[in-house]
Amino acid sequence: MSSKTRDVLEGLVKDSSLKWLLGKQNSIDEEIEEIENSPSAGANWIPELSPVANVVIRRCSKILGVSVSDLQDSFKREASESVKQPSMFPRNFLEYCCFRALALSIGVTGHLSDKQFRRLTFDMMVAWEVPSAASQALLSVDEDPTVSLEAFSRIAPAVPIIADVIICENLFGVLTSSSNGVRLHFSVYDKYLYALERAIKKMKSQSESSLLSGVRSKGENILEIDGTVTTQPVLEHIGISAWPGRLILTDHSLYFEAVKVVSFDTPKRYSLSEDLKQVIKPELTGPWGTRLFDKAVSYKSISLPEPVVMEFPELKGHTRRDYWLAIILEVLYVHKYIKKFKITTTGVAKDEAISKAVLGILRVQAIQELGLTNPVRYENLLPFSLCDQLPGGDHILETLAEMSSSRVLDRTNKAKEGSLYSISASDMVSQLGLVFGSSPRSSSSSSSLVVGEVVVGDVNPLERAVKQSRKNYEKVVLAQETVNGVKVDGIDTNLAVMKELLLPVMETGNWLLSLAYWDDPLKSFVFCLFSTFIIYRGWIGYVSAIASLFLAGFIVLTRYFSNRDKAMIELRVIAPPPMNTMEQLLAVQNAISQLEQQVQDANIVLLKFRALLLSLFPQATEKFAVGIVIAALMLVLLPWNFFILVVFLELFTRYSPLRRASTERLMRRLKEWWFSIPAAPVVLEQSKDDSKKTK
């Protein structure tokens, strides 16, 4: 029956006529009236469902070639008891009918170009929001109904080319950007699906062309081409040289063909599928090696002696560069995912991952054609790129790998134990006429691997992982907003804030220095006696544990009181007097000079140690070696407790009343010895690259 129905649907789509099968396009009210006036109105009308849901289920029954009552019986047999609960029956039965009808409709060639199919998927979302008869009052049925994020996220992923569970929320936000991201209008949704159809035809024609015929491996398909138009060239920068050409992205590599007089040169291949420690990032370019324009992508790997830079010139902005950077990284990330979860030997699972990335690129190309006014972050619409950014994205990929490698279900969406699943991404790609990978494809009547991104009446592990990651991302966004809110401008202001934050540490340090310099001999003596006893008994670990417990208690008390008094957690800083531009420049110059002086002093210390190690001053080197030998003997002969005790007493009692005079004499002798050590010589040589440039 399914095979016959599919043949009928294909014939109808070729004739561009599905009116009698999918219902009329103008108004749902007309279909409701038609159902009520039909002789079989009682059999085709379910009282528990809303009128909109009844209309959609009637359309689904015609697509499947079975009656509504037969669909009910099939649902009761296949669904679990939790799915068939009366309170959940309207929505779950609607999902069951929609997913079955969509799985069959997707098998029809050119379904995205059919207006009736596009209207059907949108009406499914409308009906999902008001599935029961009691919820019909919440829907205002007008000429242009809209759908929410929840309805879009539930129905759209059932057709993998339309949306993906991972990026569904971001895609909805892009489509609804013109309406403040609240509700999705059919006009925008219809344009999006039409743009998807054009993107599919473009990719199919590119993959079937003779481009890279002698270079491409078997099963390698072209995803995007740029540089064919003279007004929009692609420039390859290697060193200080640049050459225009044609850039081609496949599902495994990146190719660049330099322009010759009447043709293109032999393509250069930059692999994205092999583990070559690739680093792909945005880059600045300009004439003669300068870094002026932010319109390029840098490719670096261990197989290249130096990075390769691809520039995408345009008059305003860097949209072309952002688009290419996003799709190149998506191909790179999908192959990293394949290698990380070791699914290279599983052909179907590998093709499933590549197909998911390809569908994401097709969606990005469709969004590009819509010509939206608001800027779009393309990486947020690509599943593997988004998982690389989201907190918990690795858990999403792990869940996806487990699901894609373990589930093989019936193509008619019948699942064991009552779970009903959607079509997979690899099957979706094959139905669109794009073949990726080398694994065999099954026919429409045989079983196929299913991602299981949509489950009737339940939330699958992938959806749970995505929702949890979204919650964590919201926390990160809120935290980042606080970070952006506390940022202040000006060096003097930032130094004032840092000084206030470090005030407890500075006060603790000053207190310890006061004890070490014996400003108050009684306090210093008590502290020295107490610390000596702890070190001697070996209680340093216990003291550290007690200090950690006190810190934890302080945090708990602070949390308790901060809920009542928000002023306790605010950092109050006395703002320094404002500085004009000249004063700020002078402050920067002074800071740079101080930093330069500190770097010079550090270099001198290192050069003196180098002189000691190389015996440039034998007398000082001998004393240094004797000191090292004495320290080594103490480490070997003394237990650790006694060694720590000796070091502590030596450092802490230096400025005690009994040792102050001898300590000052000893420090003077050490300074004189240190200043007498010469620094190792330094010779500055010009690099070979600089000498070549000067020539």
PDB file of all heavy atoms in Angstrom, residues 255-276:
ATOM      1  N   TYR A 255      39.593  23.144  -2.091  1.00  0.00           N
ATOM      2  CA  TYR A 255      40.411  23.205  -3.303  1.00  0.00           C
ATOM      3  C   TYR A 255      40.483  24.642  -3.796  1.00  0.00           C
ATOM      4  O   TYR A 255      39.493  25.380  -3.747  1.00  0.00           O
ATOM      5  CB  TYR A 255      39.829  22.321  -4.409  1.00  0.00           C
ATOM      6  CG  TYR A 255      39.812  20.843  -4.093  1.00  0.00           C
ATOM      7  CD1 TYR A 255      38.722  20.274  -3.439  1.00  0.00           C
ATOM      8  CD2 TYR A 255      40.874  20.021  -4.439  1.00  0.00           C
ATOM      9  CE1 TYR A 255      38.698  18.925  -3.142  1.00  0.00           C
ATOM     10  CE2 TYR A 255      40.854  18.664  -4.156  1.00  0.00           C
ATOM     11  CZ  TYR A 255      39.763  18.116  -3.501  1.00  0.00           C
ATOM     12  OH  TYR A 255      39.733  16.780  -3.205  1.00  0.00           O
ATOM     13  N   PHE A 256      41.673  25.003  -4.298  1.00  0.00           N
ATOM     14  CA  PHE A 256      41.853  26.316  -4.907  1.00  0.00           C
ATOM     15  C   PHE A 256      42.488  26.133  -6.273  1.00  0.00           C
ATOM     16  O   PHE A 256      43.537  25.492  -6.404  1.00  0.00           O
ATOM     17  CB  PHE A 256      42.736  27.218  -4.045  1.00  0.00           C
ATOM     18  CG  PHE A 256      42.929  28.592  -4.629  1.00  0.00           C
ATOM     19  CD1 PHE A 256      41.948  29.559  -4.470  1.00  0.00           C
ATOM     20  CD2 PHE A 256      44.070  28.913  -5.341  1.00  0.00           C
ATOM     21  CE1 PHE A 256      42.108  30.828  -5.004  1.00  0.00           C
ATOM     22  CE2 PHE A 256      44.245  30.179  -5.884  1.00  0.00           C
ATOM     23  CZ  PHE A 256      43.258  31.133  -5.719  1.00  0.00           C
ATOM     24  N   GLU A 257      41.838  26.723  -7.301  1.00  0.00           N
ATOM     25  CA  GLU A 257      42.340  26.674  -8.669  1.00  0.00           C
ATOM     26  C   GLU A 257      42.718  28.093  -9.088  1.00  0.00           C
ATOM     27  O   GLU A 257      41.845  28.967  -9.207  1.00  0.00           O
ATOM     28  CB  GLU A 257      41.270  26.122  -9.616  1.00  0.00           C
ATOM     29  CG  GLU A 257      40.876  24.685  -9.324  1.00  0.00           C
ATOM     30  CD  GLU A 257      39.756  24.202 -10.223  1.00  0.00           C
ATOM     31  OE1 GLU A 257      38.862  25.018 -10.553  1.00  0.00           O
ATOM     32  OE2 GLU A 257      39.757  23.021 -10.589  1.00  0.00           O
ATOM     33  N   ALA A 258      43.994  28.323  -9.267  1.00  0.00           N
ATOM     34  CA  ALA A 258      44.458  29.645  -9.677  1.00  0.00           C
ATOM     35  C   ALA A 258      44.048  29.925 -11.116  1.00  0.00           C
ATOM     36  O   ALA A 258      43.966  29.021 -11.960  1.00  0.00           O
ATOM     37  CB  ALA A 258      45.976  29.741  -9.525  1.00  0.00           C
ATOM     38  N   VAL A 259      43.785  31.199 -11.407  1.00  0.00           N
ATOM     39  CA  VAL A 259      43.351  31.605 -12.741  1.00  0.00           C
ATOM     40  C   VAL A 259      44.550  31.659 -13.682  1.00  0.00           C
ATOM     41  O   VAL A 259      45.595  32.227 -13.358  1.00  0.00           O
ATOM     42  CB  VAL A 259      42.660  32.985 -12.678  1.00  0.00           C
ATOM     43  CG1 VAL A 259      42.323  33.470 -14.083  1.00  0.00           C
ATOM     44  CG2 VAL A 259      41.406  32.909 -11.841  1.00  0.00           C
ATOM     45  N   LYS A 260      44.385  31.029 -14.862  1.00  0.00           N
ATOM     46  CA  LYS A 260      45.371  31.145 -15.938  1.00  0.00           C
ATOM     47  C   LYS A 260      44.812  32.067 -17.024  1.00  0.00           C
ATOM     48  O   LYS A 260      43.827  32.770 -16.799  1.00  0.00           O
ATOM     49  CB  LYS A 260      45.696  29.762 -16.488  1.00  0.00           C
ATOM     50  CG  LYS A 260      46.344  28.850 -15.442  1.00  0.00           C
ATOM     51  CD  LYS A 260      46.552  27.455 -15.977  1.00  0.00           C
ATOM     52  CE  LYS A 260      47.607  27.407 -17.058  1.00  0.00           C
ATOM     53  NZ  LYS A 260      47.888  26.014 -17.499  1.00  0.00           N
ATOM     54  N   VAL A 261      45.384  32.048 -18.173  1.00  0.00           N
ATOM     55  CA  VAL A 261      44.962  32.968 -19.235  1.00  0.00           C
ATOM     56  C   VAL A 261      43.545  32.655 -19.698  1.00  0.00           C
ATOM     57  O   VAL A 261      42.672  33.523 -19.747  1.00  0.00           O
ATOM     58  CB  VAL A 261      45.948  32.905 -20.414  1.00  0.00           C
ATOM     59  CG1 VAL A 261      45.498  33.848 -21.525  1.00  0.00           C
ATOM     60  CG2 VAL A 261      47.356  33.272 -19.957  1.00  0.00           C
ATOM     61  N   VAL A 262      43.255  31.395 -20.025  1.00  0.00           N
ATOM     62  CA  VAL A 262      41.925  31.022 -20.526  1.00  0.00           C
ATOM     63  C   VAL A 262      41.294  29.922 -19.693  1.00  0.00           C
ATOM     64  O   VAL A 262      40.202  29.459 -20.020  1.00  0.00           O
ATOM     65  CB  VAL A 262      42.014  30.575 -22.003  1.00  0.00           C
ATOM     66  CG1 VAL A 262      42.404  31.737 -22.894  1.00  0.00           C
ATOM     67  CG2 VAL A 262      43.011  29.424 -22.156  1.00  0.00           C
ATOM     68  N   SER A 263      41.952  29.471 -18.644  1.00  0.00           N
ATOM     69  CA  SER A 263      41.407  28.368 -17.854  1.00  0.00           C
ATOM     70  C   SER A 263      41.905  28.503 -16.420  1.00  0.00           C
ATOM     71  O   SER A 263      42.355  29.567 -15.998  1.00  0.00           O
ATOM     72  CB  SER A 263      41.824  27.020 -18.459  1.00  0.00           C
ATOM     73  OG  SER A 263      43.238  26.886 -18.442  1.00  0.00           O
ATOM     74  N   PHE A 264      41.830  27.380 -15.705  1.00  0.00           N
ATOM     75  CA  PHE A 264      42.291  27.347 -14.316  1.00  0.00           C
ATOM     76  C   PHE A 264      43.457  26.376 -14.184  1.00  0.00           C
ATOM     77  O   PHE A 264      43.550  25.370 -14.908  1.00  0.00           O
ATOM     78  CB  PHE A 264      41.159  26.914 -13.385  1.00  0.00           C
ATOM     79  CG  PHE A 264      40.058  27.932 -13.260  1.00  0.00           C
ATOM     80  CD1 PHE A 264      38.943  27.870 -14.073  1.00  0.00           C
ATOM     81  CD2 PHE A 264      40.146  28.954 -12.339  1.00  0.00           C
ATOM     82  CE1 PHE A 264      37.935  28.802 -13.969  1.00  0.00           C
ATOM     83  CE2 PHE A 264      39.143  29.897 -12.218  1.00  0.00           C
ATOM     84  CZ  PHE A 264      38.035  29.825 -13.044  1.00  0.00           C
ATOM     85  N   ASP A 265      44.322  26.680 -13.245  1.00  0.00           N
ATOM     86  CA  ASP A 265      45.496  25.852 -12.997  1.00  0.00           C
ATOM     87  C   ASP A 265      45.094  24.584 -12.244  1.00  0.00           C
ATOM     88  O   ASP A 265      43.948  24.410 -11.813  1.00  0.00           O
ATOM     89  CB  ASP A 265      46.513  26.654 -12.193  1.00  0.00           C
ATOM     90  CG  ASP A 265      47.921  26.090 -12.325  1.00  0.00           C
ATOM     91  OD1 ASP A 265      48.069  25.021 -12.950  1.00  0.00           O
ATOM     92  OD2 ASP A 265      48.861  26.706 -11.786  1.00  0.00           O
ATOM     93  N   THR A 266      46.063  23.698 -12.082  1.00  0.00           N
ATOM     94  CA  THR A 266      45.815  22.459 -11.324  1.00  0.00           C
ATOM     95  C   THR A 266      45.399  22.801  -9.899  1.00  0.00           C
ATOM     96  O   THR A 266      46.061  23.605  -9.230  1.00  0.00           O
ATOM     97  CB  THR A 266      47.084  21.597 -11.302  1.00  0.00           C
ATOM     98  OG1 THR A 266      47.496  21.334 -12.642  1.00  0.00           O
ATOM     99  CG2 THR A 266      46.804  20.279 -10.586  1.00  0.00           C
ATOM    100  N   PRO A 267      44.306  22.212  -9.417  1.00  0.00           N
ATOM    101  CA  PRO A 267      43.809  22.598  -8.084  1.00  0.00           C
ATOM    102  C   PRO A 267      44.753  22.166  -6.969  1.00  0.00           C
ATOM    103  O   PRO A 267      45.357  21.090  -7.013  1.00  0.00           O
ATOM    104  CB  PRO A 267      42.461  21.875  -7.987  1.00  0.00           C
ATOM    105  CG  PRO A 267      42.553  20.746  -8.950  1.00  0.00           C
ATOM    106  CD  PRO A 267      43.434  21.218 -10.066  1.00  0.00           C
ATOM    107  N   LYS A 268      44.871  23.041  -5.966  1.00  0.00           N
ATOM    108  CA  LYS A 268      45.605  22.713  -4.750  1.00  0.00           C
ATOM    109  C   LYS A 268      44.610  22.191  -3.715  1.00  0.00           C
ATOM    110  O   LYS A 268      43.560  22.795  -3.508  1.00  0.00           O
ATOM    111  CB  LYS A 268      46.326  23.938  -4.203  1.00  0.00           C
ATOM    112  CG  LYS A 268      47.305  24.570  -5.175  1.00  0.00           C
ATOM    113  CD  LYS A 268      47.898  25.844  -4.581  1.00  0.00           C
ATOM    114  CE  LYS A 268      48.815  26.547  -5.559  1.00  0.00           C
ATOM    115  NZ  LYS A 268      49.341  27.818  -4.989  1.00  0.00           N
ATOM    116  N   ARG A 269      44.957  21.131  -3.046  1.00  0.00           N
ATOM    117  CA  ARG A 269      44.048  20.499  -2.090  1.00  0.00           C
ATOM    118  C   ARG A 269      44.496  20.779  -0.656  1.00  0.00           C
ATOM    119  O   ARG A 269      45.671  20.599  -0.323  1.00  0.00           O
ATOM    120  CB  ARG A 269      43.987  18.992  -2.314  1.00  0.00           C
ATOM    121  CG  ARG A 269      43.095  18.246  -1.335  1.00  0.00           C
ATOM    122  CD  ARG A 269      43.041  16.758  -1.686  1.00  0.00           C
ATOM    123  NE  ARG A 269      42.214  16.022  -0.747  1.00  0.00           N
ATOM    124  CZ  ARG A 269      42.659  15.446   0.370  1.00  0.00           C
ATOM    125  NH1 ARG A 269      43.952  15.510   0.664  1.00  0.00           N
ATOM    126  NH2 ARG A 269      41.844  14.793   1.171  1.00  0.00           N
ATOM    127  N   TYR A 270      43.552  21.230   0.160  1.00  0.00           N
ATOM    128  CA  TYR A 270      43.775  21.444   1.587  1.00  0.00           C
ATOM    129  C   TYR A 270      42.774  20.569   2.340  1.00  0.00           C
ATOM    130  O   TYR A 270      41.578  20.853   2.356  1.00  0.00           O
ATOM    131  CB  TYR A 270      43.599  22.921   1.946  1.00  0.00           C
ATOM    132  CG  TYR A 270      44.478  23.846   1.128  1.00  0.00           C
ATOM    133  CD1 TYR A 270      43.928  24.647   0.123  1.00  0.00           C
ATOM    134  CD2 TYR A 270      45.845  23.904   1.346  1.00  0.00           C
ATOM    135  CE1 TYR A 270      44.731  25.480  -0.632  1.00  0.00           C
ATOM    136  CE2 TYR A 270      46.656  24.735   0.590  1.00  0.00           C
ATOM    137  CZ  TYR A 270      46.101  25.520  -0.401  1.00  0.00           C
ATOM    138  OH  TYR A 270      46.894  26.333  -1.156  1.00  0.00           O
ATOM    139  N   SER A 271      43.280  19.523   2.937  1.00  0.00           N
ATOM    140  CA  SER A 271      42.411  18.504   3.526  1.00  0.00           C
ATOM    141  C   SER A 271      41.709  19.015   4.779  1.00  0.00           C
ATOM    142  O   SER A 271      42.284  19.743   5.593  1.00  0.00           O
ATOM    143  CB  SER A 271      43.228  17.258   3.866  1.00  0.00           C
ATOM    144  OG  SER A 271      42.411  16.292   4.500  1.00  0.00           O
ATOM    145  N   LEU A 272      40.448  18.610   4.927  1.00  0.00           N
ATOM    146  CA  LEU A 272      39.662  18.866   6.124  1.00  0.00           C
ATOM    147  C   LEU A 272      39.277  17.587   6.845  1.00  0.00           C
ATOM    148  O   LEU A 272      38.773  17.643   7.968  1.00  0.00           O
ATOM    149  CB  LEU A 272      38.386  19.642   5.764  1.00  0.00           C
ATOM    150  CG  LEU A 272      38.576  21.000   5.098  1.00  0.00           C
ATOM    151  CD1 LEU A 272      37.235  21.569   4.674  1.00  0.00           C
ATOM    152  CD2 LEU A 272      39.295  21.962   6.020  1.00  0.00           C
ATOM    153  N   SER A 273      39.494  16.445   6.196  1.00  0.00           N
ATOM    154  CA  SER A 273      39.087  15.164   6.776  1.00  0.00           C
ATOM    155  C   SER A 273      40.221  14.437   7.476  1.00  0.00           C
ATOM    156  O   SER A 273      39.980  13.615   8.360  1.00  0.00           O
ATOM    157  CB  SER A 273      38.505  14.259   5.684  1.00  0.00           C
ATOM    158  OG  SER A 273      39.452  14.058   4.646  1.00  0.00           O
ATOM    159  N   GLU A 274      41.469  14.722   7.118  1.00  0.00           N
ATOM    160  CA  GLU A 274      42.609  14.067   7.740  1.00  0.00           C
ATOM    161  C   GLU A 274      43.011  14.805   9.015  1.00  0.00           C
ATOM    162  O   GLU A 274      42.753  15.999   9.161  1.00  0.00           O
ATOM    163  CB  GLU A 274      43.785  14.005   6.762  1.00  0.00           C
ATOM    164  CG  GLU A 274      43.456  13.274   5.462  1.00  0.00           C
ATOM    165  CD  GLU A 274      44.588  13.382   4.459  1.00  0.00           C
ATOM    166  OE1 GLU A 274      45.667  13.888   4.841  1.00  0.00           O
ATOM    167  OE2 GLU A 274      44.400  12.993   3.300  1.00  0.00           O
ATOM    168  N   ASP A 275      43.664  14.082   9.898  1.00  0.00           N
ATOM    169  CA  ASP A 275      44.108  14.665  11.167  1.00  0.00           C
ATOM    170  C   ASP A 275      45.468  15.319  10.954  1.00  0.00           C
ATOM    171  O   ASP A 275      46.524  14.707  11.151  1.00  0.00           O
ATOM    172  CB  ASP A 275      44.183  13.584  12.245  1.00  0.00           C
ATOM    173  CG  ASP A 275      44.450  14.175  13.626  1.00  0.00           C
ATOM    174  OD1 ASP A 275      44.421  15.412  13.742  1.00  0.00           O
ATOM    175  OD2 ASP A 275      44.686  13.400  14.566  1.00  0.00           O
ATOM    176  N   LEU A 276      45.457  16.583  10.526  1.00  0.00           N
ATOM    177  CA  LEU A 276      46.680  17.331  10.238  1.00  0.00           C
ATOM    178  C   LEU A 276      46.842  18.526  11.169  1.00  0.00           C
ATOM    179  O   LEU A 276      47.573  19.461  10.852  1.00  0.00           O
ATOM    180  CB  LEU A 276      46.667  17.812   8.780  1.00  0.00           C
ATOM    181  CG  LEU A 276      46.585  16.724   7.704  1.00  0.00           C
ATOM    182  CD1 LEU A 276      46.490  17.348   6.323  1.00  0.00           C
ATOM    183  CD2 LEU A 276      47.781  15.785   7.790  1.00  0.00           C
TER     184      LEU A 276
END
